[in-house]
Amino acid sequence: MKHSKLKIFLALLIGLIVGVLGACGVYFATVGDVAWEVYIKEMIVPNVVLALTTIIALWVAASPIIKKILSALGLFNQATNDINKTVESEEQNKNNLATMQQNIQEGFTQICNDIRAEFKEHKETVQRIDKATTNTEEITRIGFGNMDELVNKGYAAEIAKVGVEDEREEDEA
């Protein structure tokens, strides 16, 4: 930045000097006999000093404003970069969120399928146990009901009532 400012200032100064010298040359060529020493002391030097003083004063006055403008431009560029990064980050976050949602959905589907499979296995196991229990109860009733000693003493009838009464009580509750 400093080099470009210096180059601009030097270009303006050189342009001004060349312009003044060119104007002087044209003037001297057209006027004829001129007292060079007087002309330079009274016309050129004061005008050059005035021009240089004006340029330097303008530069000194404009320099803080230019610095503030350049600083604001730098801040504006930084803000633009931050906004662009935020937009890129937002796109990345959207993609990550979509991926996470898909992973969650796939995981949920897998868990549901696993639960269904386990429930089916447990249901089949419970059905087998229920059937085995029913068979065991029937076998026990037949066995106790056909024992002469239990039948004669009345225990077989009592045994037969126990299973039926317990099931009725459970159904009523």
Side-chain angles (χ1 to χ4, degrees):
M1 281 296 218
K2 295 232 178 217
H3 296 292
S4 63
K5 289 180 184 179
L6 184 61
K7 287 179 183 179
I8 292 171
F9 178 73
L10 288 176
L12 288 173
L13 183 63
I14 291 171
L16 179 69
I17 292 171
V18 169
V20 168
L21 290 176
C24 288
V26 168
Y27 178 77
F28 290 131
T30 58
V31 171
D33 290 332
V34 176
W36 288 96
E37 187 177 332
V38 173
Y39 184 74
I40 291 174
K41 284 182 183 176
E42 292 180 8
M43 293 298 289
I44 293 180
V45 172
N47 286 335
V48 169
V49 171
L50 178 65
L52 288 175
T53 306
T54 304
I55 291 171
I56 292 172
L58 288 174
W59 180 258
V60 169
S63 180
I65 296 170
I66 291 171
K67 285 181 183 177
K68 286 183 182 180
I69 290 171
L70 292 174
S71 175
L73 183 62
L75 292 174
F76 181 75
N77 287 337
Q78 180 64 34
T80 302
N81 291 338
D82 290 346
I83 289 171
N84 290 338
K85 286 179 184 177
T86 302
V87 169
E88 291 173 8
S89 175
E90 178 185 5
E91 290 298 321
Q92 181 81 17
N93 289 341
K94 282 182 181 179
N95 292 338
N96 289 344
L97 183 60
T99 303
M100 282 190 258
Q101 285 176 336
Q102 183 179 1
N103 290 342
I104 289 171
Q105 185 64 36
E106 289 172 0
F108 181 73
T109 303
Q110 182 63 36
I111 289 171
C112 287
N113 290 338
D114 291 347
I115 289 173
R116 285 185 187 115
E118 288 222 14
F119 180 76
K120 183 177 179 184
E121 289 176 16
H122 289 302
K123 185 177 179 182
E124 291 170 357
T125 303
V126 168
Q127 287 173 345
R128 282 195 310 270
I129 291 171
D130 188 41
K131 178 132 177 118
T133 304
T134 303
N135 289 342
T136 303
E137 184 179 333
E138 191 62 32
I139 291 168
T140 306
R141 285 182 193 275
I142 291 170
F144 286 140
N146 288 323
M147 289 179 75
D148 290 335
E149 185 178 321
L150 293 176
V151 171
N152 292 336
K153 291 185 178 180
Y155 291 121
E158 290 296 319
I159 291 172
K161 288 181 189 177
V162 169
V164 174
E165 288 177 10
D166 286 345
E167 287 176 9
R168 284 188 196 149
E169 289 176 8
E170 287 176 12
D171 290 341
E172 290 174 4

